[in-house]
Amino acid sequence: MGFSYLGFLVMVCCLQLVVLVSGSTKNLPIINFDEGYTHLFGEDNLVVVRDGKSVHLSLDERTGSGFVSQDLYLHGFFSASIKLPADYTAGVVVAFYMSNGDMFENNHDEIDFEFLGNIRGKDWRIQTNIYGNGSTNIGREERYNLWFDPAEDYHQYSILWTDSQIIFYVDNVPIREFKRTESMGGDFPSKPMTLYATIWDGSDWATNGGKYRVNYKYAPYIAEFSDLVLHGCAVDPIEHMARCDNAEGSEGIPTGVTRVQRIKMEGFRKKHMTYSYCYDHIRYKVPPSECVINPQEAERLRTFDPVTFGNGRRHHSKRHHHSRTSQAKVTSSI
């Protein structure tokens, strides 16, 4: 796909998405699994239920499991209601993410929701991450606690991706707004991607840097997905033609962050964010160019971890960044 043609696709998709998206996320164009997704790996560990409206992914001693969208997308709104495994879940990783690593091995793009399990009595943590043009050496991670137990019921997790911004939502509350800057260059995701959902064993890093591992005594670990939304500009990988969705119910697709949502987002980040690469003085002496420093966020994180977010000198060996693409390749070959 040539650069000029890709630029044309971006322009067309942006114009069509402006026409297609508006309103709240209460009325969404939900699809059945077979309408937009296909099996990725895991054999019988993927089960489609409720007449195709929901999917159960499980992890056991043999393998994890996952599914993938049938189409590539260049921008759009992507969502699922997810119920996570309960009880002891240390080392378990559930991921809902976009990637094109199978097409662009050396310069792939990625937009991640990752859910990191924990020991009994400790809450699941949620992590978001963004890679552009293979920029895995610059991790753009954020981590948060949630204001609810994600294993008790379904909750909606959504990604809005346009040519100028990426927004992560939880139950219609934006938790992160990532805006494209000129200085980022190709580090902003700009090539067509597919959407993935997986569950897998991340014992080496997911819980306390690998201190607590998956205990298969509690298997199978089951993640449930429902209310599946794939709404965007699908790109034919052969003909390079963009086809933007205009399904009924698209009036519920958001275009950005409303005034009320921004207040909620600021409140969430002040209370629940536990890590942001923008404030990590150990990794970045000078914050990356796209970072907008919020003094209140900075102070809260500095209180939470004065070494990482303050002027401490002790070096942390714990890696925060983890590309989803390499894991997808490993698990899909199981």
Side-chain angles (χ1 to χ4, degrees), residues 131-151:
Y131 301 111
N133 207 31
S135 58
T136 54
N137 61 316
I138 303 177
R140 292 183 167 89
E141 311 89 338
E142 290 190 350
R143 284 189 181 181
Y144 328 87
N145 297 317
L146 293 169
W147 64 94
F148 54 81
D149 182 352

Short mmCIF file of all heavy atoms in Angstrom, two decimals, residues 131-151:
data_model
loop_
_atom_site.label_atom_id
_atom_site.label_comp_id
_atom_site.label_asym_id
_atom_site.label_seq_id
_atom_site.Cartn_x
_atom_site.Cartn_y
_atom_site.Cartn_z
N TYR A 131 1.01 1.95 20.25
CA TYR A 131 2.25 1.90 19.46
C TYR A 131 1.94 2.39 18.05
O TYR A 131 0.86 2.10 17.51
CB TYR A 131 2.81 0.48 19.35
CG TYR A 131 3.15 -0.19 20.65
CD1 TYR A 131 2.40 -1.26 21.11
CD2 TYR A 131 4.22 0.25 21.42
CE1 TYR A 131 2.71 -1.89 22.30
CE2 TYR A 131 4.54 -0.38 22.61
CZ TYR A 131 3.79 -1.45 23.05
OH TYR A 131 4.09 -2.07 24.23
N GLY A 132 2.88 3.09 17.46
CA GLY A 132 2.74 3.50 16.07
C GLY A 132 4.02 3.29 15.31
O GLY A 132 5.12 3.59 15.80
N ASN A 133 3.90 2.69 14.13
CA ASN A 133 5.05 2.54 13.24
C ASN A 133 6.18 1.73 13.89
O ASN A 133 7.35 1.99 13.67
CB ASN A 133 5.58 3.92 12.82
CG ASN A 133 6.26 3.88 11.47
OD1 ASN A 133 5.90 3.08 10.61
ND2 ASN A 133 7.25 4.73 11.28
N GLY A 134 5.81 0.75 14.71
CA GLY A 134 6.82 -0.09 15.35
C GLY A 134 7.55 0.57 16.50
O GLY A 134 8.64 0.12 16.88
N SER A 135 6.97 1.59 17.10
CA SER A 135 7.66 2.37 18.14
C SER A 135 7.57 1.69 19.50
O SER A 135 7.22 2.32 20.50
CB SER A 135 7.06 3.77 18.22
OG SER A 135 5.67 3.70 18.51
N THR A 136 7.88 0.39 19.56
CA THR A 136 7.76 -0.34 20.82
C THR A 136 8.82 0.06 21.83
O THR A 136 8.73 -0.28 23.01
CB THR A 136 7.86 -1.85 20.57
OG1 THR A 136 9.07 -2.14 19.85
CG2 THR A 136 6.66 -2.34 19.77
N ASN A 137 9.86 0.78 21.38
CA ASN A 137 10.87 1.26 22.34
C ASN A 137 10.36 2.44 23.15
O ASN A 137 10.97 2.82 24.16
CB ASN A 137 12.16 1.65 21.60
CG ASN A 137 11.92 2.79 20.62
OD1 ASN A 137 10.93 2.79 19.89
ND2 ASN A 137 12.84 3.74 20.57
N ILE A 138 9.25 3.04 22.72
CA ILE A 138 8.62 4.12 23.47
C ILE A 138 7.27 3.61 23.95
O ILE A 138 6.27 3.68 23.24
CB ILE A 138 8.44 5.39 22.61
CG1 ILE A 138 9.78 5.85 22.05
CG2 ILE A 138 7.80 6.50 23.43
CD1 ILE A 138 9.68 7.06 21.15
N GLY A 139 7.25 3.06 25.16
CA GLY A 139 6.00 2.57 25.70
C GLY A 139 5.10 3.72 26.09
O GLY A 139 5.54 4.68 26.73
N ARG A 140 3.85 3.67 25.70
CA ARG A 140 2.88 4.73 26.04
C ARG A 140 1.78 4.14 26.93
O ARG A 140 0.59 4.30 26.68
CB ARG A 140 2.32 5.34 24.76
CG ARG A 140 3.36 6.13 23.96
CD ARG A 140 2.78 6.80 22.73
NE ARG A 140 3.69 7.77 22.17
CZ ARG A 140 4.63 7.50 21.27
NH1 ARG A 140 4.77 6.25 20.83
NH2 ARG A 140 5.43 8.44 20.81
N GLU A 141 2.22 3.47 28.00
CA GLU A 141 1.28 2.77 28.86
C GLU A 141 0.68 3.68 29.92
O GLU A 141 1.30 4.62 30.39
CB GLU A 141 1.98 1.61 29.61
CG GLU A 141 2.80 0.71 28.74
CD GLU A 141 4.24 1.19 28.60
OE1 GLU A 141 4.48 2.40 28.81
OE2 GLU A 141 5.11 0.38 28.28
N GLU A 142 -0.54 3.33 30.28
CA GLU A 142 -1.16 3.84 31.49
C GLU A 142 -1.85 2.68 32.18
O GLU A 142 -2.36 1.77 31.52
CB GLU A 142 -2.18 4.95 31.18
CG GLU A 142 -1.53 6.24 30.71
CD GLU A 142 -2.50 7.40 30.64
OE1 GLU A 142 -3.73 7.18 30.77
OE2 GLU A 142 -2.04 8.54 30.45
N ARG A 143 -1.85 2.72 33.52
CA ARG A 143 -2.53 1.68 34.30
C ARG A 143 -3.50 2.33 35.28
O ARG A 143 -3.26 3.43 35.77
CB ARG A 143 -1.52 0.82 35.08
CG ARG A 143 -0.80 -0.18 34.22
CD ARG A 143 0.02 -1.14 35.08
NE ARG A 143 0.74 -2.10 34.27
CZ ARG A 143 1.52 -3.06 34.75
NH1 ARG A 143 1.66 -3.19 36.06
NH2 ARG A 143 2.13 -3.90 33.94
N TYR A 144 -4.58 1.57 35.56
CA TYR A 144 -5.63 2.12 36.41
C TYR A 144 -6.24 1.01 37.27
O TYR A 144 -6.23 -0.18 36.90
CB TYR A 144 -6.77 2.74 35.57
CG TYR A 144 -6.34 3.34 34.27
CD1 TYR A 144 -6.25 2.55 33.12
CD2 TYR A 144 -6.02 4.68 34.15
CE1 TYR A 144 -5.85 3.08 31.90
CE2 TYR A 144 -5.63 5.23 32.94
CZ TYR A 144 -5.54 4.42 31.82
OH TYR A 144 -5.15 4.94 30.61
N ASN A 145 -6.81 1.42 38.39
CA ASN A 145 -7.76 0.59 39.11
C ASN A 145 -9.15 0.94 38.59
O ASN A 145 -9.35 1.99 37.98
CB ASN A 145 -7.68 0.86 40.61
CG ASN A 145 -6.32 0.49 41.19
OD1 ASN A 145 -5.76 -0.56 40.85
ND2 ASN A 145 -5.78 1.34 42.05
N LEU A 146 -10.10 0.08 38.83
CA LEU A 146 -11.48 0.33 38.42
C LEU A 146 -12.35 0.61 39.64
O LEU A 146 -12.00 0.25 40.77
CB LEU A 146 -12.02 -0.86 37.64
CG LEU A 146 -11.35 -1.10 36.27
CD1 LEU A 146 -11.76 -2.46 35.70
CD2 LEU A 146 -11.69 0.01 35.30
N TRP A 147 -13.49 1.24 39.41
CA TRP A 147 -14.39 1.59 40.50
C TRP A 147 -15.44 0.50 40.73
O TRP A 147 -16.39 0.69 41.48
CB TRP A 147 -15.07 2.93 40.22
CG TRP A 147 -15.97 2.94 39.02
CD1 TRP A 147 -17.32 2.73 39.01
CD2 TRP A 147 -15.60 3.19 37.66
NE1 TRP A 147 -17.80 2.83 37.72
CE2 TRP A 147 -16.76 3.11 36.87
CE3 TRP A 147 -14.38 3.47 37.02
CZ2 TRP A 147 -16.77 3.30 35.49
CZ3 TRP A 147 -14.37 3.66 35.65
CH2 TRP A 147 -15.55 3.57 34.90
N PHE A 148 -15.25 -0.65 40.10
CA PHE A 148 -16.16 -1.78 40.24
C PHE A 148 -15.35 -3.07 40.11
O PHE A 148 -14.18 -3.05 39.75
CB PHE A 148 -17.25 -1.73 39.16
CG PHE A 148 -16.70 -1.64 37.75
CD1 PHE A 148 -16.24 -2.76 37.07
CD2 PHE A 148 -16.61 -0.41 37.11
CE1 PHE A 148 -15.72 -2.67 35.78
CE2 PHE A 148 -16.09 -0.30 35.82
CZ PHE A 148 -15.65 -1.44 35.16
N ASP A 149 -15.99 -4.19 40.42
CA ASP A 149 -15.37 -5.50 40.26
C ASP A 149 -15.71 -6.02 38.86
O ASP A 149 -16.87 -6.38 38.60
CB ASP A 149 -15.89 -6.47 41.32
CG ASP A 149 -15.23 -7.85 41.23
OD1 ASP A 149 -14.50 -8.11 40.26
OD2 ASP A 149 -15.47 -8.67 42.15
N PRO A 150 -14.74 -6.07 37.93
CA PRO A 150 -15.04 -6.46 36.55
C PRO A 150 -15.35 -7.94 36.38
O PRO A 150 -15.67 -8.39 35.28
CB PRO A 150 -13.75 -6.09 35.81
CG PRO A 150 -12.68 -6.20 36.84
CD PRO A 150 -13.31 -5.74 38.12
N ALA A 151 -15.25 -8.71 37.48
CA ALA A 151 -15.59 -10.14 37.42
C ALA A 151 -17.02 -10.41 37.87
O ALA A 151 -17.51 -11.53 37.73
CB ALA A 151 -14.62 -10.94 38.30
#
